[in-house]
Amino acid sequence: MTSLPSIDTIFDEYELLEGEDRYRLLIDLGRQLEPMPDALKTDATKVRGCSASVWVYPTTADGRLHFLADSNAAITKGIVALILSAVQDKPAEEVARMDVSEALAPFELRKHLSANRTQGVPNMIALVKETAERLAA
């Protein structure tokens, strides 16, 4: 299992960068995602509402959430990795209580990225939250 840096660690670097360097940071973050087997990239694991194709497959171990994810677009994959950095390998109960949108707020994604790149973010967050709530129950 590859572990993503914490969202706080990512933000510490992100806030020091501007423009294209922020894109590069997101692309590099996306490269750190654990590889998702092609067999898991199905209609059932596809996140709706994203301009690029995004697949997310939740797993659990010892009550902790772990997501496999991928995208066919580099920056979108980085955004997916950013979202997962806030929740990856945390207890389902903690993620169910978490405000993931609030955790992402300091990044001001809507300000720095096109609407196309951010339109699927709420759906991705909803999928993570629904999975956490279902497993926490």
Side-chain angles (χ1 to χ4, degrees), residues 65 92 95-97 128-137:
L65 289 173
V95 175
R97 289 189 311 267
V128 166
K129 293 287 286 182
E130 288 164 11
T131 301
E133 289 164 3
R134 187 175 69 249
L135 295 171

Side-chain angles (χ1 to χ4, degrees), residues 83-104:
I83 293 166
L84 293 184
S85 72
V87 301
Q88 194 75 298
D89 300 322
K90 292 189 174 165
E93 296 81 15
E94 182 181 334
V95 175
R97 289 189 311 267
M98 181 185 293
D99 185 342
V100 179
S101 295
E102 186 64 31
L104 296 173

